[in-house]
Amino acid sequence: MATVSLEAVRKEYRGGVVGAKDVTLRIADGEFVSLVGPSGCGKSTTLNLIAGLEDISGGVLRIDDTVVNDLSPRERDIAMVFQSYALYPHMDVRGNLAFPLKVSGADKATIDQRVRETAELLGLEKLLARRPKELSGGQRQRVALGRALVRRPKLFLFDEPLSNLDAALRTQMRGEIKKLHERLKATFIYVTHDQAEAMTLSDRVVVMNQGEVQQVAPPRELYDAPANLFVAGFFGSPRINLVKPETLGLREEGVTLGIRPEHLEIGTGTAEGALSGRVYLVEPMGSENWVTVDVGGERLIARAPADFSVRTGETVWLRFDSKRLHRFDTASGRRR
Ligand SMILES: Nc1ncnc2c1ncn2[C@@H]1O[C@H](COP(=O)(O)OP(=O)(O)OP(=O)(O)O)[C@@H](O)[C@H]1O
Ligand SMILES: [Mg+2]
């Protein structure tokens, strides 16, 4: 089991590009933590620093109580799963799973037992004699996971492990990774740019932008109380509406207001005490309709029931509960 702690950890690449700016983070034993954010925000950099694949430019990195700044990846007892996993093409599944154990000098009985247990855990029992090219994408991904699992490391690091899979398989594997974590009770650190993956998998989510941590919180808290405009805009589909107070009929200075699409009630025609606007776009999602409305020069999107019938150009009313409003300082972007 492993705890991981980063204190003002910094990575400056050659040429002065800062990949990670003073990242401070404590990850508890057995916790599932995701690093999420847009491309280039420093997720992989941070993960690679923890793994020991990159040298640290500043700060202190600990695994359990040991400062590991200068330890090699091998000395850190970590398993890493990448987006592009290279399985050994000439070895069958059994050989691929056994390989890390062979390298570490395990005896045959231990190898056989671990391979059997791992195959069972990942539903690979019937595939042990197949070569990678005789497997589907999802099965290959499972073998790659299995290869990380056999050594029973105390810490698992994942860098976008599902992004080569199609949408359906991705969702299925996502569930499997979550179940795996529940069974293993090991510490998982998981990099993704996918907000849904971060939300569904994690005990806590670390949101990054331009090398800096924006917020660290459980998924629900991130969604209900985003620390700044960036976090507010990153989570939620459709995106939160961020507008001037005047658009919502309010008077406040220096504030940007946020209202989630599910917190906007919508109806056709006009209604007393409600906002009025014209429908700009209707997007039927099957389970609901996303309706974009022009209101006083800004566009607001509302989630309406599936049977809400409306056309482009029609007049609609919008209502919201003021308790549902998010307030951000326009200049700093910070939550008020
Ligand atoms: N070896 C390197 N040398 C110089 N700059 C690098 C190097 N690796 C990454 N960077 C830069 O550091 C920043 C962070 O990169 P990083 O790979 O951590 O992003 P990321 O969040 O993993 O993005 P993605 O979602 O695209 O994988 C980027 O600006 C990137 O260009
Ligand atoms: Mg990356």
Side-chain angles (χ1 to χ4, degrees), residues 237-266:
S237 180
R239 244 171 76 98
I240 191 170
N241 297 294
L242 295 169
V243 293
K244 299 195 284 275
E246 303 90 272
T247 303
L248 300 184
L250 299 166
R251 277 188 205 200
E252 287 182 58
E253 289 298 317
V255 171
T256 298
L257 295 177
I259 181 92
R260 299 257 181 221
E262 61 271 34
H263 297 144
L264 276 177
E265 194 190 345
I266 186 168

Side-chain angles (χ1 to χ4, degrees), residues 33-47:
V33 167
S34 291
L35 306 181
V36 72
S39 184
C41 72
K43 308 178 291 290
S44 296
T45 297
T46 306
L47 200 73

Side-chain angles (χ1 to χ4, degrees), residues 39-40 42-45 48 83 159-160 191:
S39 184
K43 308 178 291 290
S44 296
T45 297
N48 291 340
Q83 172 182 353
D159 195 341
E160 310 250 10
V191 162

Side-chain angles (χ1 to χ4, degrees), residues 184 195 224 250 298:
L184 294 174
Q195 51 154 316
D224 290 346
L250 299 166
E298 290 203 274

Side-chain angles (χ1 to χ4, degrees), residues 146-172:
R147 212 171 43 176
L149 292 177
V150 279
R151 282 195 302 112
R152 308 259 181 81
K154 56 187 177 186
L155 177 59
F156 287 88
L157 305 179
F158 300 87
D159 195 341
E160 310 250 10
L162 306 184
S163 44
N164 284 344
L165 305 177
D166 68 46
L169 200 50
R170 234 184 126 114
T171 311
Q172 184 201 335

